Amino acid sequence: MADDLCSFTKDVFITKAPKKSPLVLRMIVLVFAMVCGVYICSICVKQISTRSKAGFLNIPVIQKACPEPNIEPWEIPYVHHPKPKTYSRAECACNPVRYFAILSMQRSGSGWFETLLNNHTNVSSNGEIFSVKVRRSNISTIVETLDKIYNLDWLSSASKNECTAAVGLKWMLNQGLMQHHTEIVEYFNTRGVSIIFLFRRNLLRRMISVLANLYDRDAKLLNGTHKSHVHSPHEADILAKYKPTINATLLIPNLKQVEETTAKALEYFNSTRHIILYYEDVVKNHTKLADVQDFLKVPHRELKSRQVKIHKGSLSQQVENWDDLKKVIKGTHYESFLQADYRK
C-alpha cells in the first residue's frame, strides 16, 4: 500500500496543473506527500520497535558464575559469596567469605583477641555490636543486624570490604545470646556461621578485671576518660593501681555462676561448627592463633596487637583482701586460681 501511495504521489507531481489555480493543486500535492511520508515512517517505526523487543528486551542478562571452589564437601555450607548493597566487591566478587562469631564474656581477653584477628589482612571482626541494646531488643532486630554484617554492609574501622575472606563480630553471652539461643543456633546453622568460643580459665583474675573496669567507669582515672583497653604501659600502670575488695562470702557462688553460664553456652551451641579457646592458652602458646586461622580457612599471618595488659603479676598484689580470699578458696577446686598461670 505504501508503494501505491508513493506511485500516486509521483503521478500527481507530473500532472500539469491548470493555469487558473496552481496554488490549489500545489496544496493537494503537498498534503498527499505528507500523508505518504507519515504513513511510511509509522510502518518503519513499528518494524524497528518489534525487532528491538525481540532482539534485546527478551534476552536475559547472564552473569558470569564464580568457579567452583576447591574444597571438601562438608565445607560448602560455610563458603559464601555475599553481594553488598552499599558497594561492589569488584575483582574480589568470587573470593569466598567465611562467617564467624566470637562468643565470650566481658573481661575474658576478647578485646585483645579481636585486635589480633583484625591484624590479619583478610579478616574483619566488627566489635561488640550487640552492646547496643536496641540491636538485641528482639530476634527480628538481631537477625536484621546479623544479615547486614554477613552481607558485608556493616561498615566499621575493621571492615576490609572488597577482599574480606572472613567476617564476623564479638558477642557477649549476656547480650541476648543466651535469651534467644534457639533462634540464633538455627540462624548460625542455616547461614553457615562458625563459632569461636573464648573463655578464661582463671575466673578469679577475670573477676578482678571486671570489678576494676566497673570502678573506672565512674572514676575515669585516665585524665577523666574511661578506657577498657589501653595501648601504653603508663596507662596500664595507672589503671592497675586500683585494687578492688572482693566479697569473700559471695566469691564461690559467683565463680560457680560463671562456670554454669559457660557450660550452658557450650551446650546450647554444641550443634554448630565451633572451636573452644582459653585466653591463657592463646597467651602462652601462639600456635593457637595458627589454629584459629586454619579454622577460618585464611592464610597464615603473624598477628600482633597494640593492646597492653593491665593486671599482671601476682594476684596478691591486685586485691585488697587477699588473705580473706585465700581462706575461702583453699581446699576447693578453685584453689589453682591463686597461682600465677601465665605470663604476658
Side-chain angles (χ1 to χ4, degrees):
M1 183 176 181
D3 294 335
D4 293 339
L5 284 174
C6 291
S7 175
F8 178 76
T9 304
K10 184 176 179 182
D11 292 339
V12 172
F13 273 109
I14 61 175
T15 302
K16 291 184 179 180
K19 295 182 179 179
K20 293 182 180 180
S21 56
L23 181 60
V24 174
L25 289 177
R26 288 177 183 177
M27 289 298 295
I28 294 173
V29 171
L30 181 61
V31 169
F32 273 105
M34 289 176 63
V35 171
C36 181
V38 170
Y39 182 75
I40 293 173
C41 288
S42 65
I43 293 175
C44 292
V45 169
K46 287 181 181 179
Q47 290 178 345
I48 293 173
S49 176
T50 304
R51 289 176 183 175
S52 298
K53 288 180 181 179
F56 298 102
L57 297 183
N58 293 331
I59 298 177
V61 178
I62 301 174
Q63 295 183 349
K64 185 178 179 181
C66 294
E68 289 293 327
N70 184 22
I71 58 176
E72 297 291 332
W74 68 266
E75 293 183 79
I76 294 176
Y78 303 100
V79 175
H80 313 279
H81 294 90
K83 298 178 180 178
K85 297 178 181 178
T86 51
Y87 63 92
S88 170
R89 294 189 71 205
E91 69 274 8
C92 296
C94 286
N95 284 20
V97 179
R98 314 276 176 152
Y99 301 159
F100 70 89
I102 305 168
L103 306 192
S104 187
M105 303 177 78
Q106 283 84 355
R107 313 312 294 176
S108 296
S110 60
W112 168 72
F113 178 76
E114 189 176 44
T115 61
L116 290 170
L117 287 187
N118 280 326
N119 189 238
H120 195 291
T121 309
N122 306 114
V123 179
S124 295
S125 189
N126 291 282
E128 206 169 314
I129 289 175
F130 289 108
S131 62
V132 180
K133 291 184 179 180
V134 67
R135 295 173 187 160
R136 62 176 197 261
S137 57
N138 55 64
I139 190 60
S140 297
T141 58
I142 289 174
V143 169
E144 182 181 346
T145 302
L146 291 174
D147 283 345
K148 193 171 183 179
I149 294 168
Y150 294 129
N151 200 49
L152 301 183
D153 281 317
W154 192 275
L155 302 181
S156 71
S157 59
S159 300
K160 304 297 193 304
N161 294 341
E162 291 92 344
C163 291
T164 296
V167 63
L169 72 157
K170 184 175 64 168
W171 201 344
M172 301 295 103
L173 300 186
N174 63 351
Q175 294 174 350
L177 194 62
M178 303 294 278
Q179 180 183 354
H180 301 286
H181 66 89
T182 302
E183 296 90 343
I184 295 171
V185 166
E186 182 180 358
Y187 179 93
F188 282 175
N189 286 331
T190 302
R191 294 296 306 273
V193 179
S194 301
I195 294 177
I196 302 173
F197 286 108
L198 180 67
F199 300 117
R200 271 186 103 146
R201 294 188 185 278
N202 194 322
L203 302 181
L204 181 57
R205 284 185 177 273
R206 176 184 173 273
M207 184 180 292
I208 292 171
S209 182
V210 168
L211 293 174
N213 188 59
L214 287 173
Y215 172 79
D216 189 65
R217 285 185 181 179
D218 295 325
K220 297 179 174 58
L221 300 176
L222 295 175
N223 298 321
T225 303
H226 168 61
K227 290 187 178 181
S228 296
H229 308 98
V230 296
H231 298 106
S232 75
H234 175 66
E235 291 178 327
D237 290 341
I238 292 175
L239 294 181
K241 287 179 181 178
Y242 171 71
K243 298 180 180 181
T245 298
I246 296 177
N247 188 323
T249 304
L250 297 177
L251 177 59
I252 299 299
N254 286 340
L255 294 176
K256 285 183 178 180
Q257 184 180 19
V258 174
E259 281 186 328
E260 291 172 359
T261 301
T262 302
K264 278 186 179 180
L266 293 174
E267 178 187 350
Y268 289 162
F269 293 88
N270 185 53
S271 65
T272 63
R273 178 177 182 262
H274 62 270
I275 184 174
I276 303 173
L277 299 175
Y278 290 93
Y279 170 73
E280 292 84 353
D281 297 340
V282 179
V283 171
K284 289 188 297 184
N285 185 358
H286 283 277
T287 61
K288 292 294 181 181
L289 293 177
D291 294 341
V292 174
Q293 294 177 77
D294 288 338
F295 180 72
L296 295 177
K297 303 297 182 182
V298 295
H300 281 203
R301 297 286 186 271
E302 183 181 358
L303 306 180
K304 298 179 180 180
S305 172
R306 293 177 54 240
Q307 283 193 14
V308 177
K309 185 171 176 59
I310 297 172
H311 298 96
K312 51 190 176 182
S314 173
L315 280 176
S316 61
Q317 304 301 313
Q318 298 177 28
V319 291
E320 288 287 354
N321 57 334
W322 174 247
D323 291 335
D324 295 336
L325 301 184
K326 282 178 61 178
K327 291 177 183 178
V328 172
I329 291 182
K330 280 282 188 179
T332 70
H333 74 279
Y334 302 116
E335 188 173 350
S336 61
F337 293 171
L338 301 174
Q339 309 300 320
D341 52 356
Y342 64 94
R343 293 180 182 180
K344 186 184 179 187

